[in-house]
Amino acid sequence: MGIMEIIGIAGSVSLLSGWRLYLCVFATGLAMRFDAIPLPEHLSSLAVLGNPWVIGIAALGALAEFFADKVMWLDSAWDTVHTLVRPVGGALLALAIVDPSDPAMQVVAFLLGGGASFLAHGGKASARAVVNTSPEPVSNVAVSSIEDVATVGLLYLAYEYPLAAGGIAAVLLALVILLLLWARRVIKRLFFRAPKPQS
């Protein structure tokens, strides 16, 4: 596996961790446990994700997140609590993916993985804060379900097609930036409206 594929996988997994950290750990661990993802030798540190304890705890976290993320305002509280957890988790996953014999690459992966995860988390949290301004609960459930399906699908693609992982990471990054810009514009319109001039 070449350096571009490794960077692509690390970037994809880090960005997806900013959306659904527990689901990323659970899905990756489960795939490893059932040999759906053959691990190259330099990714052997990821094998710990296939440990039954890790899978079990990640499953509990993913289940809690699944329900918390469907409830208006509870999702924003959950995101606030995870502002530190997701970037650290994304950084550690990126760190586990790169070659352990290259310390410089590991530092770069840790920093970029944490940054990518934090950026994705910020985009998700901002978009969900905007969705929460809608009075009906259906949009919350719909957006959350789309995030669940997209995370599993994109994670599968990133691991199954390492050459495409870089493209997946680039698309995710563009999507996160668009979400941030959209959320900023909507929040500005909602909360910072100019007062109407007095007649």
Side-chain angles (χ1 to χ4, degrees):
M1 191 181 293
I3 187 70
M4 291 314 293
E5 290 100 317
I6 293 168
I7 290 171
I9 291 172
S12 297
V13 172
S14 297
L15 284 160
L16 289 169
S17 296
W19 286 358
R20 294 281 192 274
L21 174 63
Y22 302 113
L23 187 58
C24 285
V25 172
F26 172 70
T28 303
L30 207 59
M32 289 175 177
R33 188 79 181 163
F34 293 106
D35 295 322
I37 299 175
L39 273 185
E41 192 175 317
H42 73 276
L43 295 183
S44 58
S45 55
L46 277 179
V48 71
L49 300 182
N51 180 295
W53 282 100
V54 174
I55 291 173
I57 290 169
L60 286 175
L63 193 63
E65 186 166 60
F66 178 82
F67 289 110
D69 214 47
K70 305 282 185 290
V71 180
M72 190 182 298
W73 298 114
L74 180 59
D75 62 342
S76 291
W78 182 270
D79 284 341
T80 301
V81 169
H82 285 81
T83 297
L84 180 63
V85 176
R86 286 180 185 147
V88 171
L92 290 174
L93 281 172
L95 184 65
I97 290 169
V98 300
D99 186 354
S101 67
D102 187 351
M105 189 63 175
Q106 287 214 303
V107 171
V108 169
F110 185 81
L111 293 173
L112 292 179
S117 189
F118 183 71
L119 186 64
H121 167 74
K124 174 196 182 294
S126 300
R128 296 308 289 277
V130 170
V131 170
N132 282 335
T133 61
S134 168
E136 39 72 35
V138 177
S139 55
N140 238 43
V141 174
V143 170
S144 178
S145 299
I146 289 168
E147 288 171 1
D148 292 331
V149 172
T151 300
V152 172
L154 291 170
L155 193 62
Y156 170 79
L157 286 174
Y159 280 124
E160 191 67 23
Y161 303 102
L163 283 173
I168 293 166
V171 169
L172 285 171
L173 188 58
L175 180 63
V176 165
I177 291 169
L178 287 173
L179 278 174
L180 283 168
L181 292 173
W182 171 74
R184 180 176 174 259
R185 190 168 57 235
V186 172
I187 289 170
K188 203 173 178 182
R189 198 175 335 133
L190 286 173
F191 298 108
F192 300 105
R193 288 184 184 148
K196 291 183 179 178
Q198 299 284 333
S199 52

